[in-house]
Amino acid sequence: MCSPLKYNYPLMFKIITKSPRSKARVGKLKTPHGTIDTPAFMPVGTQGAVKAVTQQQVKDIGAQIILCNTYHLYLRPGIKVIKKAGGLHKFIGWDGPILTDSGGYQVFSLAKLRKISDEGVTFNSHIDGSKHLLTPEKVVEIQSIFGSDIMMPLDECVAYPSTKADAERSVIRTTKWAKRSKEMRDETLRLRSGQGCEMGGELFGIVQGGMFKDLRKRSAEEIRELDFPGYGIGGLSVGEPKGLMLEMLEVSADNLEYEKPKHLMGVGFPEDIVEAVKYGIDLFDCVIPTRLARHGAFLTGKGKQIIRNSKFASDFTPLDKDCDCYACKNFTRAYIRHLFIAKEILPLTLMTIHNLRFIMRLMEELREKIKNGLI
Amino acid sequence: MCSPLKYNYPLMFKIITKSPRSKARVGKLKTPHGTIDTPAFMPVGTQGAVKAVTQQQVKDIGAQIILCNTYHLYLRPGIKVIKKAGGLHKFIGWDGPILTDSGGYQVFSLAKLRKISDEGVTFNSHIDGSKHLLTPEKVVEIQSIFGSDIMMPLDECVAYPSTKADAERSVIRTTKWAKRSKEMRDETLRLRSGQGCEMGGELFGIVQGGMFKDLRKRSAEEIRELDFPGYGIGGLSVGEPKGLMLEMLEVSADNLEYEKPKHLMGVGFPEDIVEAVKYGIDLFDCVIPTRLARHGAFLTGKGKQIIRNSKFASDFTPLDKDCDCYACKNFTRAYIRHLFIAKEILPLTLMTIHNLRFIMRLMEELREKIKNGLI
């Protein structure tokens, strides 16, 4: 059983403008569910919903793609329900592109009693303690059932700091798993194409290598060898200094084809995004804008502000006077502060809308600047 | 200081269709901020926000008026902030009509150490324990600062069950307070009109009388004597049997002018609304639809349903197949159940939208039925 064939092109990435000043570029990434203007930010919908906002509000903010977490959705509601619903897009009521991660990062950060071997990862669910085995093949299978536009293979991300031996081991395993993931994806494609089914999305390769330049280079070369249509750069923004992150980012990106789309996984502080686009990064995702909002912080041109601050009690200006979001066009800091202190739900929604729109406007500005040769 | 005069008509209520079968009627209630089709349901925005939804979503649901709580807004953020904002409409970003209650009911149900005398009510805030005195004059002053389209005078609501002596005392006090409220309102009007200011909204009278027919009649007659432009019927749906409520409602309504608008305060179960319109009730408010949503219950033509119920795990139909709300048009029970169990915020928003729209559709149907002589 599969959805009938609706399109027969693979993921397509077209670079529209190359910066004369850096590796930054403006592009268009075509996926089965729509085209994304890059560099792009992907709001995170961990459990199949961007927290505190509706799908309509996510669209209104200008988001063209969202990221969902394979680990969370695999455990709850489970692939049976999502398969029955007709895939993840239908299940969550989002008809735009979806990127799903591999779940590997969450296994390492959330699951209990995890055990890693060449076969895959065994772990106990953080929800009910149930035991699971995720292999590279299984992870591709899950994301194929989801119908994700962009899938990520299982990888191993080392903690920071790590020894070189640990980082090397993770590079070796990540490459092995990438090969198995690709084989599984190719096998799925062959099966689907023979049945006249939708081809589904594409699988990216992931570069690891800890904080070691030579390992980053080696990982990038090995993954590049496998000829994925795009790449994730993983294992960064895990606690290391900014300078080190950019150094690792540079060596990772430079050893991949310039022409292919690159996703800097989990990175989303405005200042990091501004730097990373210069190294040719096209996709970003991060929970920071949405999480900050729920904790009462909003982003402005002058930095992060805390809504509880008593100076906002009679401040009848918008969260950010330069912002065009629903929250800024209709409500004041004084009102949102009042609601936040009164423990209402609405201020979380309003600040989430604003923080996401803040990042979306940043992406729009960056694309403009690249087009105008300013970055 | 006041807003310039923008209109010079009082509250106007026009009965469009009278039912040939009951006292039910379809009407139009014109207020400074817009016209309301009656019978109407007012979503409750206790602290200046309808819980879990945006003002835009409240509008999209079809709500033409909301109710806010004077007690809560007086305590937090306080009248100083709301005055500085330019009134309640501007503060909360809602440009439609607002009815504010007197705060009396909340003083009796929420405040600590309350003491009632002919002067007014002394109480300690449930938020910080601070001591306050609310008099009938003060309550009108607060609502005038709010700029409410419909204001309610301070009244005394007796508990259920109560002795006849207690109920009689509350009727006497409610009438005395109604007179003082009206004088305060007239005084405010004189002042404002002399200054070329907006006239503000109108003050309703409130009928009490516990569960005693003769006291209900007496209260209605005394309040009617004061010639308010509309009435609130208070002290009902406080735990009494349905039959008794309707009996008290009937004697209250029948002793007021048929032509004036009537608000059955705090009543909002669908089955109660259907009955009450037959006695000539035009306005309803209740926290039930929004509160149920946040507790995971949604309204359908077949009664209330609990979203956690495992039978919804693979139910890919909308909350209510007959509903035209955003939640029903875009999402399934299975998805909303998943999000509710995963402790997301979105399902609270979606079920609030649905439950409110369910009541709005009920009001639309009732207006149609009255027009067609079916009620």
Side-chain angles (χ1 to χ4, degrees):
Chain A
M1 285 295 295
C2 64
S3 312
L5 190 62
K6 276 198 236 142
Y7 52 85
N8 55 5
Y9 54 83
L11 196 81
M12 283 199 298
F13 183 60
K14 200 177 159 188
I15 294 173
I16 308 289
T17 315
K18 293 179 186 180
S19 165
R21 298 164 65 108
S22 69
K23 288 162 219 149
R25 65 274 191 92
V26 169
K28 285 203 183 276
L29 181 61
K30 201 168 171 181
T31 80
H33 288 86
T35 298
I36 302 139
D37 294 300
T38 65
F41 180 83
M42 305 181 277
V44 178
T46 306
Q47 306 190 98
V50 179
K51 287 191 199 296
V53 287
T54 66
Q55 277 69 336
Q56 187 57 53
Q57 286 162 338
V58 174
K59 280 226 164 133
D60 292 345
I61 285 153
Q64 296 175 313
I65 174 170
I66 61 170
L67 180 146
C68 294
N69 284 116
T70 297
Y71 170 85
H72 284 99
L73 291 167
Y74 160 75
L75 290 180
R76 188 172 61 195
I79 45 178
K80 234 169 109 178
V81 168
I82 295 173
K83 191 174 189 173
K84 258 189 168 174
L88 189 55
H89 293 81
K90 282 191 184 148
F91 181 61
I92 71 171
W94 171 262
D95 60 6
I98 299 175
L99 181 149
T100 44
D101 62 9
S102 70
Y105 185 81
Q106 280 74 30
V107 169
F108 295 111
S109 59
L110 288 177
K112 291 165 191 163
L113 301 170
R114 60 181 180 279
K115 243 167 99 179
I116 189 163
S117 70
D118 277 345
E119 190 196 2
V121 211
T122 316
F123 63 95
N124 289 54
S125 159
H126 73 289
I127 299 167
D128 62 5
S130 56
K131 202 173 167 181
H132 300 267
L133 165 67
L134 282 182
T135 62
E137 291 80 8
K138 176 91 181 166
V139 163
V140 169
E141 189 200 342
I142 295 169
Q143 293 177 88
S144 296
I145 290 169
F146 287 171
S148 313
D149 296 86
I150 301 174
M151 304 190 277
M152 289 288 171
L154 193 63
D155 61 332
E156 190 187 350
C157 173
V158 287
Y160 174 79
S162 73
T163 63
K164 189 155 186 181
D166 279 347
E168 187 175 13
R169 187 182 35 78
S170 87
V171 166
I172 295 169
R173 192 167 271 153
T174 294
T175 299
K176 273 190 193 161
W177 284 359
K179 277 183 196 158
R180 284 165 56 190
S181 303
K182 193 154 192 300
E183 280 160 17
M184 179 69 186
R185 170 68 188 143
D186 292 346
E187 177 63 19
T188 310
L189 272 186
R190 265 194 299 280
L191 276 170
R192 290 200 172 196
S193 130
Q195 295 164 347
C197 291
E198 268 196 33
M199 305 299 280
E202 283 285 5
L203 181 70
F204 275 22
I206 297 180
V207 176
Q208 289 288 350
M211 300 301 158
F212 304 93
K213 271 191 169 182
D214 55 339
L215 289 180
R216 284 273 158 193
K217 182 165 183 286
R218 173 175 161 190
S219 181
E221 284 170 351
E222 288 178 3
I223 296 298
R224 174 182 178 155
E225 193 72 21
L226 296 171
D227 196 28
F228 289 99
Y231 302 101
I233 296 171
L236 293 179
S237 200
V238 288
E240 76 281 11
K242 301 269 169 192
L244 188 56
M245 180 187 93
L246 293 175
E247 228 177 287
M248 294 303 127
L249 170 60
E250 184 170 27
V251 63
S252 304
D254 283 359
N255 284 284
L256 298 167
E257 302 95 313
Y258 174 82
E259 294 72 23
K260 289 191 178 172
K262 295 175 195 75
H263 170 202
L264 181 51
M265 296 163 77
V267 172
F269 280 102
E271 55 274 27
D272 294 340
I273 293 176
V274 170
E275 285 307 309
V277 296
K278 298 179 191 165
Y279 296 91
I281 298 301
D282 309 292
L283 296 168
F284 298 89
D285 79 276
C286 192
V287 296
I288 280 296
T290 44
R291 181 175 292 163
L292 281 178
R294 295 195 311 284
H295 288 86
F298 61 99
L299 302 169
T300 77
K302 289 175 183 166
K304 194 177 76 178
Q305 305 274 347
I306 306 302
I307 195 71
R308 288 193 76 95
N309 196 319
S310 61
K311 73 179 173 187
F312 297 135
S314 292
D315 184 339
F316 302 109
T317 65
L319 292 177
D320 184 349
K321 64 175 175 33
D322 299 322
C323 184
D324 59 358
C325 81
Y326 172 71
C328 289
K329 274 160 66 186
N330 293 280
F331 306 100
T332 64
R333 291 168 167 185
Y335 176 60
I336 297 171
R337 176 181 188 270
H338 157 65
L339 294 181
F340 190 80
I341 288 173
K343 298 191 168 45
E344 289 280 333
I345 292 172
L346 182 55
L348 314 184
T349 299
L350 295 179
M351 285 190 285
T352 299
I353 288 174
H354 169 70
N355 284 357
L356 283 177
R357 181 64 195 146
F358 183 89
I359 302 285
M360 289 298 150
R361 284 193 301 122
L362 173 67
M363 302 317 292
E364 287 168 9
E365 282 163 25
L366 288 174
R367 292 196 296 266
E368 268 319 295
K369 281 187 179 164
I370 297 167
K371 279 183 189 165
N372 296 321
L374 300 171
I375 284 179
Chain B
M1 283 298 293
C2 63
S3 311
L5 192 62
K6 276 199 233 142
Y7 52 85
N8 54 7
Y9 54 81
L11 196 82
M12 283 197 297
F13 183 59
K14 201 177 157 188
I15 294 174
I16 309 289
T17 315
K18 292 178 186 180
S19 165
R21 298 164 66 108
S22 70
K23 287 162 218 147
R25 66 276 192 88
V26 169
K28 284 205 182 276
L29 181 61
K30 200 167 169 180
T31 78
H33 288 85
T35 299
I36 302 140
D37 294 300
T38 65
F41 180 84
M42 305 181 276
V44 177
T46 306
Q47 306 190 99
V50 180
K51 287 189 199 297
V53 286
T54 66
Q55 277 69 335
Q56 186 58 52
Q57 286 163 336
V58 174
K59 280 228 164 130
D60 292 346
I61 285 153
Q64 296 175 314
I65 174 169
I66 60 169
L67 180 146
C68 294
N69 285 115
T70 297
Y71 169 86
H72 285 98
L73 292 167
Y74 160 75
L75 289 179
R76 188 172 57 193
I79 45 178
K80 235 169 108 178
V81 169
I82 295 174
K83 192 174 188 172
K84 258 189 169 172
L88 189 56
H89 294 81
K90 282 190 185 149
F91 181 62
I92 72 171
W94 170 262
D95 59 7
I98 299 176
L99 180 149
T100 44
D101 63 7
S102 70
Y105 184 82
Q106 280 74 31
V107 169
F108 295 110
S109 60
L110 288 178
K112 290 166 192 162
L113 301 170
R114 61 183 180 278
K115 244 168 98 178
I116 189 163
S117 70
D118 277 344
E119 190 197 0
V121 211
T122 316
F123 64 94
N124 290 55
S125 158
H126 74 288
I127 299 167
D128 62 5
S130 57
K131 203 174 165 179
H132 299 269
L133 167 66
L134 282 183
T135 62
E137 291 80 9
K138 177 91 180 165
V139 163
V140 168
E141 189 199 341
I142 295 169
Q143 293 177 87
S144 297
I145 290 169
F146 287 172
S148 312
D149 296 87
I150 302 174
M151 303 190 275
M152 290 287 172
L154 192 64
D155 62 332
E156 190 187 350
C157 172
V158 288
Y160 174 80
S162 74
T163 63
K164 189 155 185 182
D166 278 349
E168 186 174 14
R169 187 182 35 78
S170 89
V171 166
I172 294 169
R173 192 166 271 153
T174 294
T175 299
K176 272 191 196 160
W177 284 1
K179 276 184 198 158
R180 284 165 56 189
S181 303
K182 192 155 192 297
E183 280 160 18
M184 180 66 184
R185 169 69 187 141
D186 292 345
E187 177 62 19
T188 310
L189 272 186
R190 267 194 299 278
L191 277 170
R192 290 201 171 195
S193 131
Q195 295 165 346
C197 291
E198 268 197 32
M199 304 300 281
E202 283 285 4
L203 181 70
F204 275 23
I206 298 180
V207 176
Q208 288 290 349
M211 300 302 158
F212 304 93
K213 270 191 170 182
D214 55 340
L215 290 178
R216 283 273 158 194
K217 183 165 183 286
R218 175 176 160 190
S219 182
E221 285 171 351
E222 288 178 4
I223 296 297
R224 175 182 179 155
E225 193 72 22
L226 298 171
D227 196 28
F228 288 100
Y231 302 101
I233 296 171
L236 293 180
S237 200
V238 288
E240 75 282 10
K242 301 268 169 194
L244 187 56
M245 181 188 90
L246 293 175
E247 228 178 287
M248 295 303 125
L249 170 59
E250 184 170 29
V251 63
S252 304
D254 284 358
N255 283 285
L256 297 167
E257 301 97 313
Y258 174 81
E259 294 72 25
K260 290 190 178 173
K262 294 173 195 76
H263 169 203
L264 181 52
M265 297 162 75
V267 173
F269 280 104
E271 55 274 26
D272 294 340
I273 293 176
V274 171
E275 285 308 308
V277 295
K278 298 179 190 165
Y279 297 91
I281 298 300
D282 309 292
L283 295 169
F284 297 89
D285 79 274
C286 192
V287 295
I288 281 296
T290 43
R291 182 175 293 163
L292 280 179
R294 296 195 310 284
H295 287 86
F298 61 99
L299 302 169
T300 77
K302 291 176 182 165
K304 194 178 74 178
Q305 305 273 347
I306 306 301
I307 195 71
R308 287 193 77 95
N309 195 318
S310 62
K311 73 179 174 188
F312 297 135
S314 290
D315 183 340
F316 301 110
T317 65
L319 292 177
D320 183 350
K321 65 176 174 33
D322 300 321
C323 186
D324 58 359
C325 81
Y326 172 71
C328 288
K329 276 160 66 185
N330 293 282
F331 306 100
T332 64
R333 290 168 169 187
Y335 177 59
I336 297 172
R337 176 180 187 272
H338 157 64
L339 294 181
F340 190 80
I341 288 173
K343 296 193 169 44
E344 288 281 332
I345 292 172
L346 182 56
L348 314 184
T349 299
L350 295 178
M351 285 191 284
T352 298
I353 287 174
H354 170 69
N355 285 356
L356 283 177
R357 181 64 196 147
F358 184 89
I359 302 284
M360 289 297 150
R361 283 192 303 121
L362 173 68
M363 303 316 293
E364 286 169 10
E365 282 164 24
L366 288 174
R367 292 196 296 267
E368 268 317 295
K369 282 187 177 163
I370 297 167
K371 279 183 187 163
N372 296 320
L374 300 170
I375 284 179

